[in-house]
Amino acid sequence: MTEEHQTLALLLFSAFVAVTLGITTWVSRNRRGSAEEFYAGGRLFSPMENGFAIAGDYMSAASFLGVTGLIALFGYDGLLYVVGFLVAWLVVLFLVAELVRNCGRFTLADVVAARMRERPVRIAAGTSSVTVSVLYLVAQMVGAGSLVALLLGGTSDAARAWTVIGVGALMVIYVSLGGMRATTWIQIVKAVLLLGGTIALTVLVVLRFHGDVDRLLLTAAERSGHGEAFLAPGLKYGGDWTARFDFISLGLALVLGTAGLPHILSRFYTVPTARAARRSVVWAVGLIGGFYLMTIVLGFGAAAILGPDAVRGSNAAGNTAVPLLALDLGGGAGSTGGTVLFAIVAAVAFATILAVVAGITLASSASVAHDLYASLRRRGGKPRSEVAVARVAAVGVGVVAIALGLLARDLNVAFLVGLAFAVAASANLPVLLYSLFWRGFTTRGAVWAVYGGLIPAVVLVVLSPVVSGSPDSLFPGVDLQYFPLQNPGLVSIPLGFLAGWLGTITSTEVADEAKHAETEVRSLTGAGAA
């Protein structure tokens, strides 16, 4: 990239960082310091505001950078990510949003602990939430590193490493100082910027082909080197039965994982009522649906205009397809239009990463403080403020995410998010659905459901081609590959549900019918909700 690209993009980065730090500082001066203020923003957001914030949380670097890159490289099979991400919101809308808002206060564990023994349930759910959050954070860190590596010429590993560290430091500042209120407003600003940038690029791609979508798709297929196979299923997931099972596994993880993501569940507590939570999801579905339809155009546009070889040449995983597309649409390298459009898109993508990591860090620090700390601290000792513990936890989570982000810097960000979704669907969704809908569910069942999904999911990832045994793995020189699938969802999700059922039927504990009835009435009517 030229010095003009670097200077302009860095100026826009700096402007967004300055604005978001200003929001954080303003909020920190006007906060009350209560747990409700820190975790839920005082429950003062309207459905539209929360809908934009949910969309901002969900439309991450994985969507803007990773999915577009996968479509550019694999055509139809990359498109499957879009379908999975979008269909997942039907599960959230019909099974989760309103019920979770009525039953909980700040975290997933609140919903489960309402009718169980609190300590073991909170420890299990808190551990799972932190694990999912860290995996999701790693994807955002990798996206930030790829973006700035492109901006600085793609040659400096040191620049990429310092970018990851800088993003980690900023997310800790946002969460520690501003809590949920600052994070929400950052998400809203980011959602508006991202949708605006995506609309502009989509219009330019369509105009490049004079509104002829058929010509766009045919050109993408021609330049892909695969011909019509680029527009048909099977390029990435159809080679053999292992690849086909991998696709089924990925689909299950994407469709079921959203309802178990801690940073998405926590957003339902920022509105005053369950009806507002449901309306928030309707807003979010509309915004997210429009966004994903446009990423399809951008993905095929990158394949048609740039070609897969150019996309791979910049980043082997395809994470920089969108900024490169913006550069070409604006007039090419060296042109004023290309420089401006590239800088704007790079800044929007960077803003996307900063906003999403803030939301995830807040959710994970809330789980540490509200669930783990509250359950594990020694009785009789002087308790520290939950909010103070959450701020310290944000630093710890940030350090872990930075370290893993540096390790996984060559993997596709959408693929990494698929792993986080698999763990969420395996560990969080079974316990959530059983708690809401199974009258006989017990404490042992809840704990077994969480660990019965979490442990297999993590172990299978470690034993998969993602970590070792292939040239594209994290440790290509090591071979610990005993599980053939890249995504563990096909095995670990059923195990989570099975473990919850097995734990319940083998438990000597008698389910508390009165507490279940109370939870049922509360979840369906909102009576007694926080």
Side-chain angles (χ1 to χ4, degrees), residues 406-500:
L406 294 174
L407 188 65
R409 60 180 177 267
D410 292 323
L411 296 180
N412 182 277
V413 289
F415 168 73
L416 287 169
V417 164
L419 296 182
F421 273 61
V423 178
S426 304
N428 291 349
L429 186 64
V431 73
L432 183 60
L433 294 183
Y434 278 150
S435 297
L436 291 172
F437 299 110
W438 188 6
R439 183 180 300 274
F441 197 44
T442 64
T443 302
R444 177 190 282 184
V447 173
W448 282 26
V450 173
Y451 291 129
L454 176 64
I455 294 172
V458 173
V459 170
L460 291 177
V461 168
V462 171
L463 299 179
S464 75
V466 176
V467 174
S468 67
S470 72
D472 300 325
S473 61
L474 291 179
F475 303 105
V478 181
D479 190 0
L480 297 174
Q481 182 189 334
Y482 297 102
F483 181 66
L485 306 184
Q486 294 189 336
N487 191 293
L490 185 61
V491 176
S492 59
I493 295 172
L495 283 178
F497 281 98
L498 178 63

Side-chain angles (χ1 to χ4, degrees), residues 263-348:
H263 66 291
I264 297 297
L265 293 174
S266 67
R267 295 237 59 92
F268 300 134
Y269 301 125
T270 63
V271 289
T273 64
R275 182 170 180 268
R278 189 172 63 251
R279 289 175 60 201
S280 296
V281 175
V282 174
W283 271 98
V285 169
L287 295 169
I288 292 165
F291 170 77
Y292 279 120
L293 287 175
M294 291 187 286
T295 62
I296 297 171
V297 177
L298 297 184
F300 284 111
I305 294 169
L306 303 172
D309 290 340
V311 173
R312 281 194 181 93
S314 172
N315 181 274
N319 292 330
T320 53
V322 172
L324 288 175
L325 178 63
L327 180 62
D328 192 287
L329 291 171
S335 67
T336 301
T339 300
V340 171
L341 196 56
F342 171 87
I344 289 172
V345 168
V348 167

